[in-house]
Amino acid sequence: MNLPKFLIGKVLSVDNVELTKYGPRLICYMHILKTNFKDFEYTSTAVRVVIWRDERIHQFEKSFLHSKTLLMITFNQNRIDQDQYGNPIQVVKADSINRVTDFEFQQYYCTNAQGQFDPFSRLIS
C-alpha cells in the first residue's frame, strides 16, 4: 500500500491565478517543515507548488488565511525545474490542500519513528 506523498510547510509567496488552455493555474512557493518524501529530506530551498483547477484553487484560498498558516500539500507528481535566476527548484503538483493547526503539527508530525518529540528532522517516517 502506497502512502500519499505530502509536505507540510509555510507559504512564502503566491502568484496570481493564470488562465491557461487547460484551465486556471495558481503557483505558490513554500518552505518545507516536514515531509514523508525522501527526496525532499535535504532540500533547503523553497518548493514551487502548482495548483490546477478551480476546486483546488478554492481549497487553497480557504486554507491559506495568512502567512503564518501551515499547509499540508499531498502530491503524486514532482520534478526539478529552474527558477527565474537559473537555480534548480523542486516542483510539485498539488492533489489536495489542507490547513494544519499548530497543535496538530506539534502532536502528530513532530514525532520520530520511536514516538519521541523531534521537531528538527524534516522526514516523517
Side-chain angles (χ1 to χ4, degrees), residues 14 16 18 31 35-36 38-40 46-47 49-50 54 60-61 67-68 75 83 89 93 110 112 117 123:
V14 180
N16 293 328
E18 299 174 19
H31 175 71
T35 184
N36 67 347
K38 289 188 188 266
D39 290 354
F40 290 171
V47 174
V49 179
V50 180
D54 281 330
F60 174 79
E61 290 170 348
S67 62
K68 294 182 181 179
F75 62 95
D83 62 3
I89 188 169
K93 179 183 169 194
C110 284
N112 59 17
F117 183 71
L123 189 65

Side-chain angles (χ1 to χ4, degrees), residues 7-12 29-33 44-47 122:
L7 60 93
I8 298 174
K10 292 188 181 235
V11 176
L12 299 174
Y29 294 89
M30 291 183 67
H31 175 71
I32 298 176
L33 296 176
S44 61
T45 60
V47 174
R122 182 171 283 173

Side-chain angles (χ1 to χ4, degrees), residues 51-121:
I51 305 167
W52 289 95
R53 309 284 184 252
D54 281 330
E55 65 183 46
R56 290 196 190 103
I57 292 174
H58 291 305
Q59 198 177 25
F60 174 79
E61 290 170 348
K62 285 189 336 189
S63 299
F64 180 62
L65 298 175
H66 48 79
S67 62
K68 294 182 181 179
T69 304
L70 292 174
L71 294 181
M72 177 190 288
I73 308 288
T74 59
F75 62 95
N76 283 326
Q77 299 177 3
N78 69 302
R79 64 184 174 91
I80 297 177
D81 200 6
Q82 290 187 348
D83 62 3
Q84 66 261 22
Y85 304 111
N87 300 321
I89 188 169
Q90 293 280 351
V91 180
V92 298
K93 179 183 169 194
D95 288 337
S96 71
I97 301 148
N98 298 307
R99 187 175 354 154
V100 177
T101 63
D102 286 335
F103 176 76
E104 290 174 330
F105 182 71
Q106 296 290 334
Q107 195 72 17
Y108 302 112
Y109 299 111
C110 284
T111 56
N112 59 17
Q114 289 82 29
Q116 298 168 330
F117 183 71
D118 186 11
F120 303 110
S121 69

